[in-house]
Amino acid sequence: MYSEIQRERSDIGGLMACPEHREWNPELIKPKKLLNPVKASRSHQELHRELLMNHRRGIGVDNKPELQRVLEHRRRNQLIKKKKEEMEAKRLQCPFEQELLRRQQRLNQLEKPVEKEEDHAPEFIRVRENLRRIATLTSEERVL
């Protein structure tokens, strides 16, 4: 009995392998192609559609790894900064402009310690000074 089943299966397998036998025997059930669940998913279809549209437009998918993109971006920014500094240095070649720049730096250094002293004062002292200024301004307005 088992041998008969084996023989029938081998006969069916032989019939399925040859396309001519399918046409001859209308009693055989024609197999249906199974759907691939990945290709049938909506997200896969949308991704495929987007890739096709990008390909048609000529927009390629960036194949570079993220690290390489970041390093290139940094190199580009460094080159831009370097060029800006060179242009600034070329622009300040004039001795008159250099002297103006030195004086401006000295003035900034002299102003910074004054600001630091004011910053270290307690808040109530700064508020009191502001109130005095306001009081003097209002008394001057009354006189006028």
Side-chain angles (χ1 to χ4, degrees):
M1 183 157 171
Y2 183 74
S3 61
E4 292 174 8
I5 295 173
Q6 289 289 344
R7 254 186 267 134
E8 289 176 9
R9 285 190 182 169
S10 65
D11 292 340
I12 293 173
L15 291 175
M16 294 291 284
C18 297
E20 302 158 357
H21 293 292
R22 277 188 252 154
E23 295 172 7
W24 291 347
N25 193 349
E27 296 176 8
L28 291 176
I29 300 171
K30 294 182 182 178
K32 293 183 180 179
K33 189 173 183 179
L34 295 175
L35 293 176
N36 186 346
V38 174
K39 289 185 178 180
S41 71
R42 187 154 187 83
S43 61
H44 179 79
Q45 291 173 355
E46 290 172 358
L47 177 64
H48 186 66
R49 189 177 306 120
E50 184 178 345
L51 287 172
L52 282 175
M53 287 184 356
N54 287 343
H55 180 69
R56 287 179 192 146
R57 285 190 219 150
I59 302 171
V61 178
D62 195 12
N63 294 331
K64 295 180 183 178
E66 186 177 356
L67 178 62
Q68 188 175 1
R69 280 184 295 188
V70 169
L71 291 175
E72 286 179 358
H73 183 70
R74 284 186 183 174
R75 270 189 240 122
R76 197 175 321 118
N77 287 343
Q78 286 176 352
L79 287 174
I80 291 170
K81 278 185 181 180
K82 190 175 182 181
K83 287 180 182 178
K84 283 183 181 178
E85 289 173 0
E86 289 174 0
M87 294 296 287
E88 188 75 21
K90 286 180 183 177
R91 191 177 62 83
L92 295 176
Q93 293 298 326
C94 178
F96 177 70
E97 290 178 354
Q98 290 176 353
E99 184 62 31
L100 285 176
L101 182 63
R102 281 191 220 126
R103 288 186 182 189
Q104 184 181 7
Q105 289 173 349
R106 272 189 253 140
L107 286 173
N108 288 340
Q109 288 175 353
L110 292 174
E111 290 176 0
K112 284 182 182 178
V114 173
E115 292 173 2
K116 288 181 182 177
E117 291 174 8
E118 291 176 2
D119 290 340
H120 292 296
E123 186 178 354
F124 70 92
I125 293 176
R126 284 185 264 143
V127 171
R128 186 175 173 200
E129 290 174 0
N130 287 341
L131 289 174
R132 282 186 185 168
R133 289 182 196 145
I134 293 171
T136 55
L137 288 175
T138 55
S139 63
E140 289 175 1
E141 290 174 358
R142 289 180 193 163
V143 172
L144 294 175

